Amino acid sequence: MTVVTALIVLGVLALAFGLVLGFAAVRFRVESDPIVDQIDALLPQTQCGQCGYPGCRPYAEAIANGDEINKCPPGGQATINSLADLMGVEAKPLDAAHGEEDVKKVAVIREDECIGCTKCIQACPVDAILGAAKQMHTVIAHECTGCDLCVEPCPVDCIDMVPVPVRPDNWQWDLQQIPVKNVESSH
Amino acid sequence: MSAATKAIEAGHIWTFPGGIHPPERKDRSNSTPIEVLPLAKQFIVPIKQHSGPVGDLLVAVGDNVKAGQPLTQVGINNALPVHAPTSGTVSAIGPGRIAHPSGLTDTVITIDADGNDEFYSFAPLADYTSLSRAELLDRIRQAGVAGLGGAGFPTAQKLALQRPLDYLIINGVECEPYISADDRLMREHAQTIIDGTEILLHIAGCEKALIAIEANKPEAIAAFEALLPNYPQLALRVVPTKYPSGGEKQLIQLLTGRQVPSRGLPIDVGLVMQNVGTAYAVAQAVLNGKPLIERVVTVTGDNIAKPGNYWVRIGTTVAELLNQCGFEPVADSKQEQRVIMGGPMMGFTLPDLDVPVVKITNCILVPSNQELAPAAEEMNCIRCGACADVCPAQLLPQQMQWLAKAKDYDGLEQQNLFDCIECGACAYVCPSEIPLVHYYRKAKAEIRNIAREKAKAEVARERFEARQERLEREKQERLERHRKAAEARKKAQAEAVAQGGDNPQDAVQAAIARAKARKAAQAAAAAKQNQEGDDE
Ligand code: SF4
Ligand code: SF4
Ligand code: SF4
Ligand code: SF4
């Protein structure tokens, strides 16, 4: 008799926990694919499309589905290495077919040449260009990712990509760079 | 009262780990009174001389200014203003070399002195206790007072943190070799420093201040001992001579035995610290309304004929200052003369002598190569462990050096790289001449940059997603509009037909028929003309 009671009690318990777990699985399901989020977090978010996908997130999805990890030039070797760590694969050099690693740049519109055509606004993946039809346009420098996509569409070629300026607060303490010079006495 | 508080009250001095005893060489500059130098002809005032946002400009090129007139304003972002060091004309505003190890430029205001040194009108204050705390803080901020001891953190901002305080610590330790600016200030202006300390106590809402002086400054100690009996809320603490006992966390450990947590602030353990020079500047700002436009600078080193301490207006160029102090560069022209801003341990070599003295400049050191050997060739680490023995922050400098060279930034953060106060004790004892602090500074800058890039990428991701959403929404809206317009057209048509009017469809047919008729008529006319032509 005791054996039967024990069996019944255990059976009821198993059922109850099964229900709780089943409910939790449905109720607290993680919506998006966590691996895509993790990959996306490693990509530089320049949104330049050099990888062949329309932005970083689509490339993250492609990697999750087995694409190569060495197609992102803005991220360069550092990104490839961390992607290799995450995916548990061998790091490889950047695929030159997609471009080369370059210094960080920012777009600058030569404002007196701008004709206000709004073509660059439509090209910018992060809405970093400000302007309206027939008005002079300008780039919000700290929002610009340096993706280069606005340069091509400009009909009067008035957008330049310039390297991000070095300021005292983002300077890298490279003492070799200091132009130490001979100091002469002035008496 | 707990045992620990009792010990603090009784004047117990604790110890901190590590530390070194480099040659002090303070006697060259500390025996003569602080001198006032003739005014320079031109001043260069960088608009950023502190940590934090910069103020908006209040002057334009061509404006006449008076000594002490604000050049930038506090404004909405609560910036720290800078002031004109003398009267004259603003001759330029633009990028100029600043006193920074990078030798980079920043916005500077150039003032051509008129030689009259006319002062802007200041409002002295008889009784500061009549003002509210906020008004006093504003007075200190308007006067441009920043911590004169180190990184130039705005004083008002430090005082604005309203948290329970046990002690205010006034730091007169000045442990770095060569420098004697605070020493001379304490000897000659102890009363003003005490006034400033009382104001600081009043603002901080704190009962008691500890004034800390290193044992190697007997005259400064005597000056305070003579005055302090009248001030029961102030107590003097003499700390043993050891470098870096003037470091914020080290001094707190010496005076109270408390440890500021990693990445924490002194206020986390109920303390706040101000430098003696800052206390002096606060007294000037609150009592006399005088902004921070001059400070004491030690000019010293073997290649200076007249070493000593000088009242230097902010914005005086280093070249001008050295000229007036009898600068004799090394005779051998093949060798470079180094000019160091700050002391030999924590200072940096200037890229150029046309940079101005700023609020945080405490010393200009012009050493000969005998007294301060130029950096030697770096050799391999022999794992002697000397660096770990002297590190006051109890870090593992050797380990951090390997990690920094390997660019292992996660590892460096685990080793608490950000607790390194860059005191240079480790590099001082390293037998392999490894510029350890240089590696740490570079790694810190790199880690900060990575964090900045990450934050920027986060913003870019959000903006990209927001844009994708907007494009999608606009597409839907467009489709919706087209659908609505088509529906409205159909409805209007149906209504028109129902009311017995022309079916627009019929109108179209009629128009097509008319067009056909016209074409036919034209063709006929043309044929007729052709015929007539043939007839002729
Ligand atoms: S190549 Fe451009 S779009 Fe592609 S992942 Fe890299 S930054 Fe993003
Ligand atoms: S402004 Fe030009 S370079 Fe910058 S993010 Fe927009 S499209 Fe790219
Ligand atoms: S510089 Fe940093 S690591 Fe070196 S002794 Fe000082 S606190 Fe320690
Ligand atoms: S003192 Fe220099 S040589 Fe010795 S362990 Fe430290 S880094 Fe290495």
Side-chain angles (χ1 to χ4, degrees):
Chain A
M1 190 58 206
T2 35
V3 176
V4 178
T5 323
L7 279 178
I8 291 172
V9 168
L10 279 180
V12 170
L13 273 178
L15 211 67
F17 281 117
L19 280 175
V20 169
L21 282 177
F23 173 74
V26 176
R27 179 71 180 72
F28 304 111
R29 189 212 298 280
V30 179
E31 272 307 328
S32 63
D33 191 353
I35 188 72
V36 173
D37 281 343
Q38 283 176 40
I39 298 171
D40 195 29
L42 294 178
L43 294 174
Q45 305 301 323
T46 308
Q47 317 293 1
C48 62
Q50 288 183 74
C51 50
Y53 296 93
C56 299
R57 184 144 193 115
Y59 181 42
E61 279 157 12
I63 293 179
N65 291 329
D67 199 356
E68 294 289 349
I69 57 170
N70 60 346
K71 294 184 173 179
C72 171
Q77 199 60 46
T79 300
I80 295 175
N81 293 348
S82 27
L83 283 173
D85 269 357
L86 177 68
M87 305 297 289
V89 296
E90 195 78 19
K92 44 183 106 170
L94 182 66
D95 184 352
H98 291 274
E100 282 164 16
E101 211 172 330
D102 201 356
V103 293
K104 281 242 150 221
K105 291 195 174 150
V106 56
V108 177
I109 295 180
R110 289 197 297 276
E111 294 176 349
D112 47 350
E113 290 172 37
C114 170
I115 54 170
C117 69
T118 75
K119 287 201 159 66
C120 55
I121 296 189
Q122 293 157 34
C124 178
V126 291
D127 283 342
I129 303 181
L130 212 62
K134 304 219 177 84
Q135 304 293 317
M136 182 261 285
H137 288 32
T138 195
V139 175
I140 310 169
H142 65 272
E143 309 281 21
C144 170
T145 65
C147 71
D148 220 32
L149 294 179
C150 52
V151 175
E152 239 281 303
C154 178
V156 292
D157 277 340
C158 73
I159 306 181
D160 294 322
M161 297 302 296
V162 299
V164 174
V166 180
R167 292 179 315 274
D169 58 347
N170 66 1
W171 178 65
Q172 290 294 301
W173 269 99
D174 194 352
L175 292 183
Q176 265 66 49
Q177 269 180 4
I178 299 185
V180 175
K181 67 174 191 192
N182 266 309
V183 176
E184 304 282 335
S185 167
S186 46
H187 335 266
Chain B
M1 201 187 276
S2 72
T5 323
K6 261 195 203 123
I8 297 172
E9 288 294 328
H12 183 77
I13 302 290
W14 281 259
T15 56
F16 68 88
I20 51 173
H21 295 274
E24 289 171 27
R25 298 188 180 137
K26 290 186 189 253
D27 46 357
R28 305 186 184 182
S29 56
N30 68 5
S31 50
T32 48
I34 309 174
E35 258 184 70
V36 178
L37 292 175
L39 276 183
K41 299 236 165 8
Q42 199 177 53
F43 291 85
I44 299 172
V45 185
I47 62 169
K48 183 176 168 79
Q49 305 185 16
H50 57 277
S51 47
V54 298
D56 296 329
L57 285 172
L58 283 175
V59 291
V61 173
D63 284 2
N64 285 322
V65 291
K66 290 191 177 150
Q69 182 176 339
L71 301 175
T72 58
Q73 62 181 350
V74 173
I76 44 165
N77 51 7
N78 233 356
L80 198 69
V82 293
H83 301 80
T86 185
S87 60
T89 318
V90 176
S91 63
I93 298 175
R97 270 274 167 88
I98 53 161
H100 187 271
S102 62
L104 289 168
T105 59
D106 198 357
T107 308
V108 299
I109 301 172
T110 310
I111 293 173
D112 289 338
D114 60 12
N116 301 332
D117 200 25
E118 265 178 82
F119 271 75
Y120 198 60
S121 63
F122 307 130
L125 192 64
D127 176 20
Y128 66 83
T129 50
S130 63
L131 290 193
S132 73
R133 188 168 172 277
E135 283 168 316
L136 285 172
L137 283 177
D138 186 53
R139 219 169 147 84
I140 293 174
R141 184 178 286 282
Q142 294 288 357
V145 181
L148 297 188
F153 196 76
T155 304
Q157 209 166 320
K158 202 168 178 178
L159 291 170
L161 295 168
Q162 263 179 325
R163 310 244 303 256
L165 278 184
D166 298 337
Y167 295 98
L168 164 70
I169 298 176
I170 299 295
N171 186 345
V173 174
E174 198 166 47
C175 59
E176 184 144 2
Y178 285 97
I179 309 178
S180 59
D182 287 349
D183 182 10
R184 284 305 324 185
L185 189 75
M186 288 188 287
R187 291 194 209 182
E188 295 173 33
H189 299 281
Q191 184 60 57
T192 318
I193 294 170
I194 289 176
D195 292 346
T197 308
E198 291 213 283
I199 298 169
L200 288 169
L201 275 179
H202 174 74
I203 295 175
C206 173
E207 301 284 310
K208 183 124 202 196
L210 304 176
I211 300 175
I213 306 179
E214 212 172 20
N216 62 358
K217 303 180 184 63
E219 295 88 347
I221 294 170
F224 276 94
E225 272 173 349
L227 292 169
L228 283 186
N230 308 329
Y231 298 92
Q233 72 281 37
L234 310 185
L236 184 67
R237 293 284 183 273
V238 177
V239 300
T241 306
K242 176 162 94 168
Y243 180 83
S245 43
E248 196 168 55
K249 293 183 177 181
Q250 285 63 41
L251 186 55
I252 285 175
Q253 215 167 342
L254 279 173
L255 298 188
T256 66
R258 299 181 189 177
Q259 292 217 4
V260 180
S262 177
R263 293 215 176 196
L265 292 172
I267 200 145
D268 297 337
V269 291
L271 302 165
V272 67
M273 188 177 293
Q274 298 287 354
N275 169 270
V276 282
T278 314
Y280 179 87
V282 164
Q284 291 286 1
V286 172
L287 301 178
N288 304 331
K290 203 175 156 195
L292 182 60
I293 57 167
E294 61 180 354
R295 66 157 296 147
V296 184
V297 178
T298 305
V299 183
T300 183
D302 266 359
N303 290 337
I304 290 287
K306 262 179 29 189
N309 285 291
Y310 301 93
W311 280 111
V312 180
R313 298 275 172 102
I314 307 291
T316 310
T317 61
V318 172
E320 173 79 25
L321 182 59
L322 291 183
N323 263 334
Q324 298 195 1
C325 299
F327 169 41
E328 296 157 2
V330 272
D332 186 354
S333 62
K334 277 194 288 270
Q335 269 178 333
E336 285 169 353
Q337 174 59 60
R338 284 166 302 153
V339 175
I340 296 169
M341 188 174 269
M345 305 297 294
M346 297 182 78
F348 57 90
T349 308
L350 287 177
D352 182 322
L353 289 195
D354 286 326
V355 298
V357 166
V358 292
K359 292 175 186 172
I360 57 171
T361 309
N362 50 4
C363 176
I364 305 288
L365 174 59
V366 189
S368 70
N369 284 336
Q370 288 76 30
E371 62 175 329
L372 208 68
E377 194 75 17
E378 173 178 344
M379 288 172 283
N380 283 333
C381 170
I382 55 169
R383 299 173 194 266
C384 64
C387 48
D389 291 342
V390 298
C391 178
Q394 284 184 294
L395 304 174
L396 297 172
Q398 182 205 140
Q399 204 60 33
M400 298 202 303
Q401 171 239 170
W402 295 115
L403 292 170
K405 283 181 176 162
K407 297 193 187 300
D408 180 353
Y409 299 124
D410 291 337
L412 279 169
E413 294 209 55
Q414 271 162 25
Q415 293 283 336
N416 292 325
L417 172 69
F418 280 89
D419 281 354
C420 166
I421 59 168
E422 300 178 15
C423 67
C426 51
Y428 180 79
V429 296
C430 177
S432 297
E433 307 268 3
I434 304 175
L436 294 162
V437 186
H438 175 179
Y439 284 112
Y440 307 151
R441 282 176 175 158
K442 194 162 164 54
K444 281 184 186 174
E446 191 63 49
I447 291 173
R448 287 199 192 101
N449 241 14
I450 291 172
R452 238 196 317 263
E453 290 294 325
K454 261 229 123 59
K456 224 188 129 174
E458 204 43 56
V459 174
R461 187 200 334 271
E462 275 166 22
R463 291 183 73 92
F464 178 68
E465 277 164 11
R467 178 171 191 269
Q468 298 298 90
E469 247 170 51
R470 173 171 67 79
L471 292 183
E472 186 58 30
R473 196 179 56 235
E474 280 176 2
K475 199 169 135 199
Q476 294 303 339
E477 278 170 7
R478 212 168 37 239
L479 291 180
E480 181 69 5
R481 258 203 319 277
H482 286 171
R483 199 179 54 75
K484 279 219 179 95
E487 252 172 32
R489 240 193 343 265
K490 269 214 191 94
K491 206 166 138 215
Q493 227 173 67
E495 265 170 22
V497 174
Q499 281 169 8
D502 282 345
N503 187 336
Q505 214 61 41
D506 296 344
V508 172
Q509 292 301 338
I512 292 173
R514 271 200 303 280
K516 269 193 183 143
R518 199 164 48 240
K519 269 230 182 82
Q522 269 168 5
K528 207 172 153 207
Q529 237 172 28
N530 274 349
Q531 247 178 12
E532 278 169 7
D534 283 346
D535 287 348
E536 275 169 31

